[in-house]
Amino acid sequence: MKTLTGISASPGIAIGVVFYYHDETIKVPKYTIGKVEVKSEKKRFGEATARARDELLALKETSTNGKVEDQSRFLDSHILMLEDPEFTGNIERNLEKDLKNVEWILLEEIDNLVRRLESSDDVYLKERVLDIRDVSKRVLNHLLFTERISLVDLESEVILVTHNLLPSDALALYKGKVKGIAMDAGGKTSHTAILARAFEIPAVLGLSEITQEVRTGDEVIVDGNKGIVIVKPDAATKRRYRDSLRVYHAREIELLTLNDLPAESKDGKLIKLMANIEVPEETESALSHGADGIGLFRSEFLFLRSNALPSEDEQYDAYSRVLKAMGGKKVTIRTLDLGGDKTLAGIKDIKEANPILGWRAIRFCLSRGDIFLSQLRALLRASVYGNLQIMFPMISGVEELEKALEALENAKDSLRRDGIDFAENIPVGIMVETPSAALTSDILAKQVNFFSIGTNDLIQYTIAVDRGNERIAYLYEPFHPGVLRLIKVVVDYAHAAGIPAHMCGEMAGDPIATVILLGLGLDGLSMSAFSIPEVKKIIRTVSIWDAEELVGTISEMRSVVEIDNYVNNWMHERFDIVTA
Ligand code: PEP
Ligand code: MG
């Protein structure tokens, strides 16, 4: 038995067997063949494409029967490509001409195709690059006998162990067979961690070397509450964890009894508790955990899920679905926030020296007016189905905000010209997640209806600490005096301008921070749905007076360690919160 310590990224306990996921880039050999071997190379190619085709057909069947909608759409184009006589004809001709092994010929053909598509002016054609690379990888896997395992194809329940997982891969985990996650890389507010919490999968990230310690089939315990992974646990440890699991579930059930009660402090301040969602299906969990609305719908996951640009109509369908599901409750949809760790091949995948400081979120949208317009039109069209609020991410100053507001007005005009209805008075807000926005929030507040503080990025940019980098995760401190002061500035400026200040970063759902956030004056908190009941329980047992007193005491302190210790003791003396 061995215990590894990492970062507690998603709470809960999972006991099970390891599935080691390794999505390695394939090394393609290059060698010369004799004329007599051409026939056998053609045969190998034929067999590999047939196997790839069967695999795609099977995948299509499972995903259309299955849980996640829209996922099979792109598979049709992959199948068509494998059946295209021009594609196979080119490979066969080049085999005869170049006398190189078929893997190499395939790679060359794909590179040519990609070059042609990338130089095209047609956006649709450009977007096909990812599909082509995906299909070729599948065929190459068969030619080279490497196994390509898809996370949606898992047959039994597993604990996923991997070096790193892209947010787009993590999307495949929704209501799937993965019961726990243990990863070498990643931080608490990386998007993989956020998805794990959204999908209620216990996860420990930043373990550095878990992939060196376990193999597929090993038994492990993922303790997402304490941030540890126990490899090959002994019988007594397993028994202890099974007991904890029972207590944990009982506690969850008890907390759900608070669902119909308001999040109201002892002295009567009502706090809006809302859910953060990444896929429309999560509205179900938002409602079952008593959310007052959706405080953040990360719309980019629609794009990541389809691995391409969804059309205006596809977006309209998704947004309408969320609005309808939430009845008249507020639904805050954030416009596209691609960039940083969220890349989209062929569209937002350029190499940047500092992607986190680079061409992301609103910066990307303002320079891709076509993409932004279709999203804004889709949002406006969907607005007739519920209580929509639109929110812009990563605003760094007033010029950017004004450009975004202008784009929204243009989208409204274009709908008016087309005679399409939309709700006229949709509240518009911004994420306050850059220090420059926080410090100029008095100026920004005059032009919007609400603020939502994105602490994941605000902490990252204030302390200059990459939120996904496990090596410096120790610096990522929500209670850093610099961060707390910025939050206070934003709340005070919002209130002075008469608009509400909400928070939708992960800090909003951390029970240890709840009383501080009340004391700082936040009006609403948006978090992973399952955190809502516990945060509500805390709010209902304190008064704003107590909370302000706590904030007063910690604002006199000089270091984050001092604040952390004081707040942890304060909270543990009063509440039975689960902390690492
Ligand atoms: C944030 O930065 O706090 C936030 C909520 O946005 P995201 O995590 O998607 O960057
Ligand atoms: Mg952010």
Side-chain angles (χ1 to χ4, degrees), residues 312-328:
E312 182 183 312
D313 282 348
E314 282 164 337
Q315 292 187 64
Y316 161 76
D317 285 345
Y319 306 146
S320 310
R321 229 165 92 200
V322 174
L323 283 157
K324 285 180 194 162
M326 293 306 291

Side-chain angles (χ1 to χ4, degrees), residues 524-567:
L525 304 173
S526 189
M527 61 199 80
S528 312
F530 79 85
S531 302
I532 291 175
E534 181 154 27
V535 169
K536 188 188 281 183
K537 187 173 172 192
I538 296 172
I539 292 175
R540 290 178 59 82
T541 19
V542 287
S543 67
I544 298 297
W545 194 87
D546 290 337
E548 284 175 351
E549 192 185 49
L550 176 64
V551 168
T553 308
I554 60 168
S555 47
E556 302 292 318
M557 295 179 178
R558 37 188 292 281
S559 86
V560 71
V561 178
E562 221 179 318
I563 298 177
D564 254 347
N565 289 339
Y566 188 82
V567 175

Side-chain angles (χ1 to χ4, degrees), residues 28-29 31 41 44 101-107 140 143-144:
V28 178
Y31 52 89
E41 287 295 278
R44 276 207 315 125
N101 57 314
V102 69
E103 293 88 349
W104 188 256
I105 298 284
L106 171 64
L107 204 65
L140 276 172
L143 284 168
L144 297 164

